[in-house]
Amino acid sequence: MLCLRSCSGARRWFTFVTGLVECLCFAGAVFGWASLVFVLKSEGYFSTLCVNSTETNGTHTLDCRGQDEQLSLVFTIASFMNNFLTLPNGFLFDHFGTTVARLFGIFLYTMGSLLVAFSTSVLSNLLFPAMAFLSVGGILFLMTNMQVGNLFGARRWYLLRASFLFLSACSVIHVLRTFFLLPRKFIPYPLPENYTYGISCGQSTTQSLEPSSENGIVKPAEETLLQTDNTPKGLQITQKSFRKCLLSRLFFWHLIWLSVMQLRHYLFIGTLNPMLQRLTAGEPSLVSQYTNAFAVTQLCGVLCAPWNGLIMDRHKGRPRAQGESERDADVKASVLSLALTAFQCLLFSLCATIPSLPLQYVTFILQVLNRSFLYGGNAAFLSVAFPSCHFGKLYGVVMALSALFSILQYPCVTLVKDVNIGLTILSLLAFIHPISVYLHCRSQAAQRADKAITADSR
């Protein structure tokens, strides 16, 4: 038993560390687009779309708006696929489990890496399938690693958030983690006692996570009745159906919260290079300097993510209100995180709207901070507000629907000067979600109080 616990603890930390490295290096390739597009333009990708033009003063200049629009289209399609295909990927993950989802993601990521590696300025169109494959493969790595935090109980959210030829060769790392450091199906929450996965150095009981069956009839997961050690005998908790979760007010406003802020981020990343070209009057050294600064701030995103985890977990260890479940307490704790994320987006959008070059350093910091809070908070809220058996499907639906909203970024490219103010105003919609969650929690507390009064009167 001592050997079992020792191996289990070491394996959990190794799973966490390798998952952190995997997400940092592979899951967000599409968000490095601002740095990649600078290299692609210097290598002549889509340069045939640049044309000579004559200014009003008679000087001849090279107009590369066609090149910018084509590169923007590559990013638009990649970011759309990154989100929209999360829906079928969520169903794939829920139905077949971790191993199958990861093997599919490894295949897509490897193909995308190879396509980028062998693309040239003559074969510029290879970027369309390449970036799409990288986006979808990366989101599968992210999706299957989100459950790793469940291995650490109350600290799960803090720990969870806490070139291309080489990347394609590194696919062996993903394969090894899939078979040796992750379960075949799912990591449950709350975590059962003596839960093990992967290769074990001792005998252990197998935790069954399959749908229940009675008299040979298998029940769907959403209709399964849960019985936990903390549940009084005879008292069982019925899970919400997937349809009920999908049509709930909480899910709707969460979708709006994610969609408006994600559109703001995608438009900023997709138009960063043209914006810097405009603010620097086309000075290559300044464009390179600010592009590198943006890339460095993106790398620091991993340092920002745990802050949101601390906010989400600030109530852990404190006594809960009478009748309040752990899930209710988690949802209540998410209000501050949701509101703070919306406020960060508003500040980021305001700074991006002001045409001041030095101010963009502040914009870069706010952008990476807000992006870390946005995507970490998205997964965290779905996990605490809805049954875990629907997480993959709900995550897929919310990302797919927000992807449809993000398609607006491409027609906005030609109107970016005017649309920045409009997006800043649109981002105010994100504040509705934390208000809605707060009212929901207050309503739940009032219901618990009424039930307690009724019980006392008897």
Side-chain angles (χ1 to χ4, degrees), residues 56-329:
T56 54
N57 59 5
T59 58
H60 295 281
T61 59
L62 191 63
D63 186 0
C64 290
R65 282 181 296 180
Q67 182 189 37
D68 289 335
E69 290 178 5
Q70 195 71 357
L71 289 169
S72 177
L73 182 60
V74 172
F75 177 72
T76 300
I77 293 175
S79 57
F80 170 76
M81 298 289 283
N82 178 67
N83 290 340
F84 187 76
L85 288 188
T86 308
L87 174 58
N89 287 341
F91 280 91
L92 176 74
F93 177 51
D94 281 348
H95 189 71
F96 293 103
T98 301
T99 300
V100 173
R102 286 182 59 82
L103 288 176
F104 183 54
I106 292 168
F107 170 75
L108 291 177
Y109 202 94
T110 304
M111 290 299 297
S113 300
L114 291 172
L115 285 173
V116 173
F118 292 110
S119 66
T120 63
S121 58
V122 179
L123 300 173
S124 300
N125 287 327
L126 284 179
L127 291 177
F128 286 100
M131 294 307 298
F133 287 165
L134 286 172
S135 296
V136 179
I139 203 67
L140 278 167
F141 293 151
L142 183 64
M143 183 184 294
T144 54
N145 275 301
M146 283 175 180
Q147 59 183 332
V148 172
N150 292 348
L151 296 172
F152 297 90
R155 297 170 294 169
R156 63 192 186 280
W157 298 125
Y158 175 72
L159 292 170
L160 171 63
R161 294 171 187 83
S163 98
F164 286 94
L165 279 175
F166 171 75
L167 294 179
S168 63
C170 284
S171 294
V172 64
I173 298 173
H174 309 315
V175 175
L176 292 175
R177 289 195 74 246
T178 298
F179 287 105
F180 295 100
L181 293 175
L182 285 168
R184 184 170 175 268
K185 287 293 183 180
F186 311 103
I187 299 174
Y189 179 77
L191 199 69
E193 189 177 355
N194 297 328
Y195 174 77
T196 62
Y197 63 99
I199 296 177
S200 175
C201 61
Q203 297 294 328
S204 63
T205 57
T206 302
Q207 301 290 339
S208 176
L209 302 176
E210 302 296 327
S212 63
S213 61
E214 293 181 5
N215 301 324
I217 302 175
V218 179
K219 296 182 180 180
E222 59 264 30
E223 294 180 5
T224 301
L225 297 175
L226 299 183
Q227 180 80 43
T228 66
D229 295 337
N230 298 326
T231 306
K233 213 168 188 181
L235 178 63
Q236 294 176 317
I237 305 171
T238 306
Q239 296 278 42
K240 277 186 180 179
S241 68
F242 174 63
R243 183 174 180 273
K244 190 173 182 179
C245 294
L246 202 62
L247 298 178
S248 67
R249 184 184 65 180
L250 288 182
F251 183 81
F252 173 77
W253 286 116
H254 185 70
L255 173 62
I256 299 298
W257 177 84
L258 175 66
S259 297
V260 296
M261 288 192 282
Q262 182 173 259
L263 176 62
R264 190 66 190 95
H265 282 272
Y266 280 166
L267 187 66
F268 178 75
I269 295 172
T271 60
L272 179 61
N273 186 263
M275 182 191 73
L276 292 178
Q277 292 279 358
R278 187 173 65 254
L279 294 179
T280 61
E283 177 59 41
S285 60
L286 279 176
V287 174
S288 177
Q289 175 185 331
Y290 277 84
T291 301
N292 290 337
F294 179 72
V296 170
T297 56
Q298 298 302 299
L299 185 62
C300 295
V302 68
L303 303 176
C304 304
W307 301 350
N308 197 22
L310 290 173
I311 294 173
M312 292 287 292
D313 286 345
R314 69 188 188 280
H315 65 291
K316 299 296 183 181
R318 299 177 184 176
R320 296 195 298 266
Q322 183 180 2
E324 184 181 45
S325 66
E326 183 178 359
R327 186 175 294 274
D328 291 336

Side-chain angles (χ1 to χ4, degrees), residues 253-268 338-353 366 370 374 405 408 418-435:
W253 286 116
H254 185 70
L255 173 62
I256 299 298
W257 177 84
L258 175 66
S259 297
V260 296
M261 288 192 282
Q262 182 173 259
L263 176 62
R264 190 66 190 95
H265 282 272
Y266 280 166
L267 187 66
F268 178 75
L338 297 172
L340 186 58
T341 304
F343 182 67
Q344 290 169 355
C345 183
L346 181 62
L347 289 180
F348 151 63
S349 189
L350 286 171
C351 291
T353 303
L366 288 172
N370 184 236
L374 177 64
F405 197 77
L408 294 172
D418 300 322
V419 82
N420 274 329
I421 298 175
L423 285 176
T424 302
I425 297 173
L426 188 66
S427 64
L428 294 174
L429 288 175
F431 286 95
I432 299 177
H433 183 39
I435 295 173

